[in-house]
Protein backbone atom coordinates (compact mmCIF):
# COMPACT_ATOMS: atom_id res chain seq x y z
CA UNK A 1 0.00 0.00 0.00
CA UNK A 2 2.73 2.44 0.94
CA UNK A 3 4.83 1.40 -2.04
CA UNK A 4 1.91 1.99 -4.43
CA UNK A 5 1.73 5.50 -3.12
CA UNK A 6 5.33 6.10 -4.16
CA UNK A 7 4.96 4.38 -7.50
CA UNK A 8 2.04 6.52 -8.58
CA UNK A 9 4.03 9.70 -7.87
CA UNK A 10 6.02 9.53 -11.05
CA UNK A 11 8.33 12.10 -12.55
CA UNK A 12 5.73 12.72 -15.32
CA UNK A 13 2.97 13.37 -12.79
CA UNK A 14 5.06 15.97 -10.93
CA UNK A 15 6.40 17.54 -14.12
CA UNK A 16 2.80 18.36 -15.10
CA UNK A 17 2.12 19.78 -11.64
CA UNK A 18 5.22 21.99 -11.80
CA UNK A 19 3.77 23.96 -14.73
CA UNK A 20 0.52 24.65 -12.88
CA UNK A 21 2.31 25.60 -9.67
CA UNK A 22 4.71 27.93 -11.44
CA UNK A 23 1.63 29.76 -12.82
CA UNK A 24 0.08 29.77 -9.35
CA UNK A 25 3.04 31.75 -8.05
CA UNK A 26 1.39 34.71 -9.78
CA UNK A 27 -1.97 33.96 -8.13
CA UNK A 28 -2.11 36.08 -5.00
CA UNK A 29 -4.48 33.90 -3.05
CA UNK A 30 -2.68 30.62 -3.35
CA UNK A 31 0.69 32.36 -2.96
CA UNK A 32 -0.32 34.06 0.29
CA UNK A 33 -1.54 30.79 1.78
CA UNK A 34 1.68 29.00 0.92
CA UNK A 35 3.92 31.89 1.98
CA UNK A 36 2.40 31.75 5.47
CA UNK A 37 3.19 28.02 5.64
CA UNK A 38 6.79 28.47 4.43
CA UNK A 39 7.39 31.29 6.90
CA UNK A 40 5.85 29.46 9.85
CA UNK A 41 7.82 26.27 9.12
CA UNK A 42 11.11 28.09 8.66
CA UNK A 43 10.61 30.13 11.87
CA UNK A 44 9.80 26.90 13.71
CA UNK A 45 12.99 25.16 12.50
CA UNK A 46 15.13 28.11 13.59
CA UNK A 47 13.41 28.49 16.97
CA UNK A 48 13.86 24.78 17.70
CA UNK A 49 17.53 24.97 16.71
CA UNK A 50 17.13 22.45 13.88
CA UNK A 51 19.50 24.51 11.70
CA UNK A 52 21.74 27.57 11.88
CA UNK A 53 24.20 29.53 9.75
CA UNK A 54 26.74 26.69 9.77
CA UNK A 55 24.31 23.98 8.65
CA UNK A 56 24.32 21.84 5.53
CA UNK A 57 20.72 20.99 4.63
CA UNK A 58 19.10 18.40 2.38
CA UNK A 59 15.66 19.47 1.07
CA UNK A 60 13.90 16.31 -0.22
CA UNK A 61 11.02 16.96 -2.62
CA UNK A 62 12.21 20.57 -2.95
CA UNK A 63 9.60 21.39 -5.63
CA UNK A 64 9.89 24.97 -6.90
CA UNK A 65 12.55 25.65 -4.25
CA UNK A 66 10.48 27.80 -1.91
CA UNK A 67 12.12 26.29 1.18
CA UNK A 68 15.45 25.83 -0.61
CA UNK A 69 15.77 29.61 -1.10
CA UNK A 70 14.87 30.41 2.50
CA UNK A 71 17.36 27.87 3.85
CA UNK A 72 20.13 28.96 1.47
CA UNK A 73 19.77 32.57 2.70
CA UNK A 74 20.52 31.46 6.25
CA UNK A 75 22.51 28.21 6.18
CA UNK A 76 25.92 27.18 4.82
CA UNK A 77 24.70 24.98 1.98
CA UNK A 78 21.53 23.37 0.65
CA UNK A 79 21.03 20.36 -1.59
CA UNK A 80 17.61 20.26 -3.24
CA UNK A 81 16.46 16.81 -4.34
CA UNK A 82 13.39 16.09 -6.45
CA UNK A 83 11.94 13.35 -8.65
CA UNK A 84 10.88 15.96 -11.24
CA UNK A 85 13.38 17.66 -13.57
CA UNK A 86 10.82 20.41 -14.29
CA UNK A 87 10.45 21.22 -10.59
CA UNK A 88 14.24 21.43 -10.35
CA UNK A 89 14.42 23.71 -13.40
CA UNK A 90 12.01 26.14 -11.69
CA UNK A 91 13.87 25.81 -8.37
CA UNK A 92 17.15 26.64 -10.15
CA UNK A 93 15.58 29.81 -11.62
CA UNK A 94 14.36 30.73 -8.16
CA UNK A 95 17.90 30.34 -6.76
CA UNK A 96 19.38 32.45 -9.57
CA UNK A 97 16.79 35.21 -9.11
CA UNK A 98 17.80 35.34 -5.44
CA UNK A 99 21.54 35.46 -6.34
CA UNK A 100 22.40 32.43 -4.21
CA UNK A 101 25.49 30.31 -4.88
CA UNK A 102 25.41 27.74 -2.09
CA UNK A 103 22.78 25.40 -3.59
CA UNK A 104 23.08 22.22 -5.65
CA UNK A 105 20.36 19.95 -7.02
CA UNK A 106 19.92 16.21 -7.51
CA UNK A 107 17.21 14.90 -9.84
CA UNK A 108 16.36 11.42 -8.53
CA UNK A 109 13.52 9.80 -6.56
CA UNK A 110 14.47 9.59 -2.87
CA UNK A 111 13.76 5.86 -2.78
CA UNK A 112 16.32 5.29 -5.59
CA UNK A 113 19.30 7.26 -4.32
CA UNK A 114 22.31 5.30 -3.03
CA UNK A 115 23.63 7.42 -0.16
CA UNK A 116 27.10 5.88 -0.38
CA UNK A 117 27.47 6.62 -4.11
CA UNK A 118 26.43 10.22 -3.55
CA UNK A 119 28.61 10.57 -0.39
CA UNK A 120 25.52 11.49 1.56
CA UNK A 121 25.88 9.27 4.63
CA UNK A 122 25.74 11.52 7.72
CA UNK A 123 26.41 14.44 5.37
CA UNK A 124 23.70 16.87 6.56
CA UNK A 125 22.89 18.73 9.76
CA UNK A 126 19.21 18.82 8.76
CA UNK A 127 17.43 16.41 6.44
CA UNK A 128 14.13 18.07 5.59
CA UNK A 129 11.07 16.92 3.61
CA UNK A 130 7.88 18.96 3.37
CA UNK A 131 4.72 17.36 1.97
CA UNK A 132 6.83 14.92 -0.04
CA UNK A 133 5.00 11.72 -1.04
CA UNK A 134 8.38 10.02 -1.52
CA UNK A 135 8.67 9.86 2.28
CA UNK A 136 5.67 7.66 2.97
CA UNK A 137 7.44 4.30 3.30
CA UNK A 138 9.42 3.09 6.29
CA UNK A 139 12.64 2.72 4.25
CA UNK A 140 12.48 6.33 3.11
CA UNK A 141 12.32 7.55 6.73
CA UNK A 142 15.23 5.30 7.70
CA UNK A 143 17.21 6.67 4.77
CA UNK A 144 16.61 10.21 6.06
CA UNK A 145 18.14 9.20 9.40
CA UNK A 146 21.16 7.69 7.63
CA UNK A 147 21.79 10.93 5.71
CA UNK A 148 21.65 13.08 8.86
CA UNK A 149 24.34 13.83 11.42
CA UNK A 150 21.87 16.08 13.27
CA UNK A 151 18.14 16.49 12.79
CA UNK A 152 15.46 15.13 10.48
CA UNK A 153 12.15 16.88 9.88
CA UNK A 154 9.09 15.87 7.88
CA UNK A 155 5.69 17.46 7.59
CA UNK A 156 2.53 16.02 6.10
CA UNK A 157 -1.20 16.72 6.10
CA UNK A 158 -3.13 15.30 9.06
CA UNK A 159 -6.33 16.99 7.90
CA UNK A 160 -7.36 19.08 4.91
CA UNK A 161 -10.93 20.32 4.63
CA UNK A 162 -12.49 22.39 1.87
CA UNK A 163 -16.18 23.29 2.07
CA UNK A 164 -16.36 23.53 -1.72
CA UNK A 165 -14.65 20.19 -2.30
CA UNK A 166 -17.01 18.63 0.21
CA UNK A 167 -20.06 20.10 -1.57
CA UNK A 168 -18.79 18.90 -4.95
CA UNK A 169 -18.13 15.41 -3.56
CA UNK A 170 -21.65 15.23 -2.11
CA UNK A 171 -23.25 16.52 -5.26
CA UNK A 172 -21.33 14.42 -7.80
CA UNK A 173 -20.20 11.29 -5.94
CA UNK A 174 -22.92 11.29 -3.24
CA UNK A 175 -20.35 10.95 -0.40
CA UNK A 176 -18.61 13.50 1.83
CA UNK A 177 -14.98 14.36 1.18
CA UNK A 178 -12.64 12.56 3.59
CA UNK A 179 -10.72 15.43 5.14
CA UNK A 180 -8.78 13.07 7.42
CA UNK A 181 -7.05 11.05 4.69
CA UNK A 182 -3.56 12.12 5.79
CA UNK A 183 -3.83 10.93 9.39
CA UNK A 184 -2.77 7.35 8.68
CA UNK A 185 0.55 8.42 7.26
CA UNK A 186 1.34 10.53 10.37
CA UNK A 187 0.73 7.61 12.74
CA UNK A 188 2.60 5.13 10.51
CA UNK A 189 5.63 7.43 10.38
CA UNK A 190 5.55 7.98 14.14
CA UNK A 191 5.21 4.25 14.75
CA UNK A 192 8.12 3.39 12.48
CA UNK A 193 10.41 6.00 14.00
CA UNK A 194 9.73 5.00 17.58
CA UNK A 195 10.18 1.31 16.73
CA UNK A 196 13.50 2.22 15.08
CA UNK A 197 14.76 3.72 18.34
CA UNK A 198 14.14 7.41 17.65
CA UNK A 199 12.00 9.70 19.78
CA UNK A 200 10.08 11.89 17.34
CA UNK A 201 8.58 15.16 18.51
CA UNK A 202 5.17 16.00 17.04
CA UNK A 203 3.40 19.30 16.71
CA UNK A 204 0.81 20.78 14.33
CA UNK A 205 0.40 23.80 12.13
CA UNK A 206 -3.22 24.86 11.63
CA UNK A 207 -4.42 27.24 9.00
CA UNK A 208 -7.76 28.53 7.73
CA UNK A 209 -8.63 30.53 4.67
CA UNK A 210 -11.66 31.93 2.90
CA UNK A 211 -10.84 31.39 -0.75
CA UNK A 212 -12.67 32.97 -3.66
CA UNK A 213 -12.44 30.87 -6.81
CA UNK A 214 -13.23 32.50 -10.16
CA UNK A 215 -16.00 30.73 -12.08
CA UNK A 216 -14.09 29.32 -15.03
CA UNK A 217 -12.94 26.10 -16.62
CA UNK A 218 -9.62 26.03 -14.71
CA UNK A 219 -11.44 26.05 -11.38
CA UNK A 220 -13.79 23.30 -12.56
CA UNK A 221 -10.84 21.19 -13.79
CA UNK A 222 -9.01 21.70 -10.48
CA UNK A 223 -11.93 20.28 -8.47
CA UNK A 224 -12.76 17.62 -11.06
CA UNK A 225 -9.20 16.30 -10.79
CA UNK A 226 -9.67 15.80 -7.05
CA UNK A 227 -12.76 13.61 -7.42
CA UNK A 228 -10.90 10.40 -6.67
CA UNK A 229 -7.35 9.17 -6.11
CA UNK A 230 -4.55 11.49 -7.17
CA UNK A 231 -3.28 8.74 -9.52
CA UNK A 232 -6.47 9.20 -11.60
CA UNK A 233 -6.39 13.00 -11.67
CA UNK A 234 -6.06 13.21 -15.46
CA UNK A 235 -8.97 10.82 -16.12
CA UNK A 236 -11.15 12.62 -13.58
CA UNK A 237 -10.49 16.01 -15.17
CA UNK A 238 -11.74 14.59 -18.48
CA UNK A 239 -14.68 12.83 -16.87
CA UNK A 240 -16.03 15.49 -14.49
CA UNK A 241 -14.97 18.99 -15.55
CA UNK A 242 -18.18 19.92 -17.35
CA UNK A 243 -20.42 18.53 -14.54
CA UNK A 244 -18.39 20.41 -11.92
CA UNK A 245 -18.59 23.57 -14.02
CA UNK A 246 -22.41 23.32 -14.17
CA UNK A 247 -22.55 23.00 -10.40
CA UNK A 248 -20.17 25.92 -9.83
CA UNK A 249 -22.32 28.07 -12.12
CA UNK A 250 -25.34 27.27 -9.95
CA UNK A 251 -23.68 28.39 -6.72
CA UNK A 252 -21.44 31.24 -7.92
CA UNK A 253 -22.24 34.78 -6.85
CA UNK A 254 -21.05 37.50 -9.19
CA UNK A 255 -18.68 35.04 -10.88
CA UNK A 256 -17.04 33.99 -7.58
CA UNK A 257 -17.32 30.66 -5.77
CA UNK A 258 -16.51 30.80 -2.03
CA UNK A 259 -14.54 28.04 -0.33
CA UNK A 260 -13.76 27.80 3.41
CA UNK A 261 -10.65 25.72 3.97
CA UNK A 262 -8.94 24.37 7.08
CA UNK A 263 -5.76 22.40 7.16
CA UNK A 264 -3.69 20.74 9.84
CA UNK A 265 -0.13 19.86 8.98
CA UNK A 266 1.79 17.53 11.30
CA UNK A 267 5.45 18.33 11.97
CA UNK A 268 7.51 15.27 12.98
CA UNK A 269 11.16 15.79 13.84
CA UNK A 270 13.79 13.65 15.45
CA UNK A 271 17.47 13.67 16.30
CA UNK A 272 19.28 11.20 14.09
CA UNK A 273 22.93 11.94 14.83
C1 LIG B 1 3.60 18.63 -2.62
S1 LIG B 1 5.16 19.01 -3.33
C2 LIG B 1 5.98 19.81 -1.96
C3 LIG B 1 6.96 20.87 -2.41
C4 LIG B 1 7.63 21.62 -1.27
N1 LIG B 1 8.48 20.74 -0.47
C5 LIG B 1 6.59 22.30 -0.41
O1 LIG B 1 6.42 21.93 0.76
O2 LIG B 1 5.94 23.23 -0.90
C6 LIG B 1 5.91 17.43 -3.42
C7 LIG B 1 7.29 17.44 -4.13
O3 LIG B 1 7.88 16.17 -3.93
C8 LIG B 1 8.43 15.72 -5.16
N2 LIG B 1 8.43 14.24 -5.10
C9 LIG B 1 7.38 13.40 -5.21
N3 LIG B 1 7.77 12.12 -5.05
C10 LIG B 1 9.12 12.17 -4.83
C11 LIG B 1 10.11 11.17 -4.59
N4 LIG B 1 9.79 9.90 -4.56
N5 LIG B 1 11.40 11.56 -4.41
C12 LIG B 1 11.73 12.88 -4.47
N6 LIG B 1 10.84 13.87 -4.70
C13 LIG B 1 9.55 13.52 -4.86
C14 LIG B 1 7.49 16.30 -6.23
O4 LIG B 1 8.10 16.39 -7.49
C15 LIG B 1 7.19 17.67 -5.63
O5 LIG B 1 8.14 18.63 -6.03
Amino acid sequence: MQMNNIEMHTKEFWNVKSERWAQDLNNNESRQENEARYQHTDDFLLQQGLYNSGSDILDIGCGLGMFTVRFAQKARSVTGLDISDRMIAYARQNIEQNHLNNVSFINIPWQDIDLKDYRMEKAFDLVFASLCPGISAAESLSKMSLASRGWCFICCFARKFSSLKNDIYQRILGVPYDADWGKASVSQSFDHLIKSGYYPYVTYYDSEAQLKWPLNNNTAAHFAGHLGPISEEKENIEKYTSTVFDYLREIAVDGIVPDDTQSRIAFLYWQAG
Side-chain angles (χ1 to χ4, degrees), residues 5-11 13-15 17-18 21 34 37-38 41 59-68 81-85 87-88 106-112 128-136 140 155 157:
N5 185 37
I6 287 189
E7 280 166 1
M8 83 192 181
H9 285 287
T10 61
K11 167 185 162 157
F13 174 87
W14 285 103
N15 275 349
K17 281 236 180 271
S18 72
W21 286 1
N34 274 317
R37 173 171 70 87
Y38 301 135
T41 310
D59 181 5
I60 304 169
C62 64
L64 306 181
M66 306 308 276
F67 281 113
T68 320
L81 180 147
D82 206 284
I83 194 172
S84 152
D85 54 321
M87 289 283 185
I88 288 188
I106 306 177
N107 178 207
I108 192 169
W110 178 241
Q111 65 273 21
D112 292 350
F128 171 91
S130 162
L131 307 184
C132 178
I135 304 296
S136 60
S140 52
C155 60
F157 282 106

Side-chain angles (χ1 to χ4, degrees), residues 118-257:
Y118 279 78
R119 297 174 186 273
M120 278 167 55
E121 289 168 310
K122 299 281 164 222
F124 301 97
D125 301 288
L126 171 63
V127 175
F128 171 91
S130 162
L131 307 184
C132 178
I135 304 296
S136 60
E139 309 83 69
S140 52
L141 286 166
S142 299
K143 204 187 249 187
M144 287 182 72
S145 301
L146 291 176
S148 176
R149 56 178 175 242
W151 288 94
C152 293
F153 174 100
I154 59 169
C155 60
C156 44
F157 282 106
R159 181 176 159 74
K160 199 170 195 299
F161 179 76
S162 144
S163 61
L164 183 54
K165 201 177 277 187
N166 194 44
D167 290 346
I168 293 172
Y169 256 72
Q170 303 261 24
R171 171 72 169 240
I172 293 172
L173 301 180
V175 292
Y177 171 67
D178 176 13
D180 285 334
W181 51 265
K183 260 187 191 164
S185 133
V186 179
S187 56
Q188 280 164 11
S189 297
F190 186 88
D191 196 47
H192 170 70
L193 288 167
I194 206 138
K195 280 184 183 148
S196 306
Y198 299 106
Y199 290 90
Y201 298 88
V202 188
T203 187
Y204 299 92
Y205 167 61
D206 289 318
S207 66
E208 283 186 5
Q210 277 85 44
L211 304 181
K212 293 184 173 67
W213 294 89
L215 173 64
N216 61 30
N217 216 44
N218 282 349
T219 302
H222 169 86
F223 284 95
H226 288 202
L227 279 165
I230 201 166
S231 54
E232 288 160 26
E233 188 179 35
K234 204 166 151 240
E235 293 79 353
N236 288 330
I237 289 176
E238 279 162 23
K239 191 167 165 192
Y240 294 118
T241 298
S242 78
T243 325
V244 172
F245 186 84
D246 290 344
Y247 176 59
L248 297 180
R249 197 168 37 197
E250 255 178 54
I251 59 173
V253 179
D254 297 332
I256 296 292
V257 190

